[in-house]
Amino acid sequence: MLSQEDRTLLTVENLDVHYGDLQALHNVSLHIPQGTIVSIIGANGAGKSTLLGAITGLNKPTRGKITFRNEDISGIHTHDVVSKGITMSPEGSRVFEKMSVEENLLMGAYLSRARKKRKELLKRVYGLFPVLKEKSGQSATYLSGGQRQMLAIGRALMVDPEVILCDEVSLGLAPVIVKDIYHKIVEINREGMTFILVEQDVKRSLKYSDYSYVMVKGRIVMEGPSSQLPEGEVKDAFFGISKYA
């Protein structure tokens, strides 16, 4: 069995990010082993999306280091981050509304390695999300919120990545739909995919992830194996109660 160190895929070390004079992230560190689901839990404004933006090259760190497969990727361009195997399913299930479902998916397969196997990747996505196959020729405009989220995750899979960052999977969706999507994430993870999930839903985050980090005001204030973190303490941290204020 590989040690945690040997399985390390992505690390974030002592990361600071500023927007002008405003510091959004303070000394943030993460450790992401290969093949795991890691949750980043926090309220609006906690710095979660800023952290994802730093990993994907959208936000340039002012201090610290991001390493992927032992290579420093701090501050490189977003398209270079994607080409190395990191992609994101963005907040709000953003899709290309004027394109069909299948055209949306094929937009994800723009890297040369993905283009070569796009039929195989498309078959995989349709197997995971049969409703997308049923609606493959329809405009994405007519998809429900849950179907758009499936399409966003499917498009991320079409990149043929090693890591998928999911920003607010459950945002605005009915609980039964969210449960189904999380079950699909677990299914994909069992095939070897690594996930980083940014969420505000504390209970669901702890239930479906292997390890969790809790952010408050741009800082990591709590972390640990998800099954061992007391939900009440995580919620206290989430709302900035007592020592986490």
Side-chain angles (χ1 to χ4, degrees), residues 79-100:
H79 64 268
D80 292 322
V81 174
V82 176
S83 70
K84 292 181 184 301
I86 302 173
T87 191
M88 185 160 73
S89 175
E91 179 183 353
S93 313
R94 296 173 195 161
V95 298
F96 300 107
E97 293 189 355
K98 294 184 179 179
M99 293 183 178
S100 71

Side-chain angles (χ1 to χ4, degrees), residues 9-13 15 32 51-61 63-87 162-163 165 196:
L9 187 62
L10 177 70
T11 58
V12 176
E13 302 173 75
L15 201 72
I32 313 294
L51 175 57
L52 292 192
I55 294 171
T56 55
L58 295 171
N59 300 322
K60 306 303 179 186
R63 184 178 77 96
K65 185 177 180 181
I66 302 169
T67 306
F68 182 65
R69 289 202 172 279
N70 298 316
E71 178 183 356
D72 186 353
I73 62 169
S74 311
I76 69 173
H77 293 297
T78 299
H79 64 268
D80 292 322
V81 174
V82 176
S83 70
K84 292 181 184 301
I86 302 173
T87 191
E162 293 186 68
V163 183
L165 315 180
I196 301 176

Side-chain angles (χ1 to χ4, degrees), residues 173-194:
L173 300 181
V176 65
I177 300 298
V178 176
K179 183 178 180 180
D180 184 47
I181 289 172
Y182 265 92
H183 284 171
K184 294 297 184 182
I185 287 173
V186 170
E187 183 179 344
I188 298 164
N189 169 253
R190 286 174 180 160
E191 297 175 357
M193 186 68 66
T194 303

Side-chain angles (χ1 to χ4, degrees), residues 149-164:
Q149 186 61 267
M150 294 174 192
L151 180 56
I153 294 172
R155 189 177 58 203
L157 285 168
M158 291 294 294
V159 179
D160 194 25
E162 293 186 68
V163 183
I164 298 179

